[in-house]
Amino acid sequence: MDILETVLQALDIPGPARAVYIDLAANGSSTARMIAVRLGMTRPSVYDQVKILLDKGVLAERDMDGKAEFAIRDLADVERLLVQKKEDLADIAETFAKEKDGLLHKTKSIA
């Protein structure tokens, strides 16, 4: 699971939300109470972390007998986020390269 931790961190997912995702990867679909018990978190904290992951599109929520249960949608969702971040960084790098000379002209540097 170390690579999952590294990837989620690179995607700027906070530590507690990473812990929830990794827990679900290891244990399968679970209720917030089950996750909270395994991770030593409060249920409200688990819900806060789940919201982050739902907003990123990497978790699914379903109703199981009146209880919300959370599960990883598809590992391809994480890969999609990585590809998007790579493209965004490439765009930023390209823009920076184009504007670097102008920035250097305006900036005093010790180098």
Side-chain angles (χ1 to χ4, degrees):
M1 295 289 177
D2 289 342
I3 187 61
L4 209 46
E5 173 76 26
T6 301
V7 168
L8 296 172
Q9 185 174 10
L11 292 172
D12 302 320
I13 294 175
R18 291 193 307 264
V20 168
Y21 189 90
I22 290 167
D23 177 77
L24 289 169
N27 296 294
S29 62
S30 303
T31 64
R33 185 181 80 61
M34 293 164 65
I35 297 166
V37 167
R38 287 193 300 260
L39 296 179
M41 292 177 149
T42 64
R43 274 183 44 227
S45 180
V46 169
Y47 279 111
D48 291 342
Q49 307 318 310
V50 162
K51 181 175 180 349
I52 292 167
L53 297 166
L54 287 169
D55 289 347
K56 290 273 191 185
V58 296
L59 280 193
E61 178 179 2
R62 60 184 170 198
D63 181 42
M64 297 297 288
D65 299 323
K67 294 182 180 179
E69 196 168 271
F70 305 99
I72 292 174
R73 285 172 24 104
D74 187 338
L75 283 176
D77 295 326
V78 172
E79 186 173 20
R80 174 187 49 80
L81 290 175
L82 273 177
V83 168
Q84 184 61 54
K85 182 161 186 168
K86 181 179 174 181
E87 290 171 359
D88 292 346
L89 287 172
D91 290 344
I92 292 167
E94 183 179 331
T95 301
F96 181 74
K98 288 178 185 175
E99 297 186 20
K100 185 172 65 172
D101 288 338
L103 291 170
L104 286 174
H105 180 70
K106 296 176 188 177
T107 304
K108 293 185 180 187
S109 175
I110 61 171

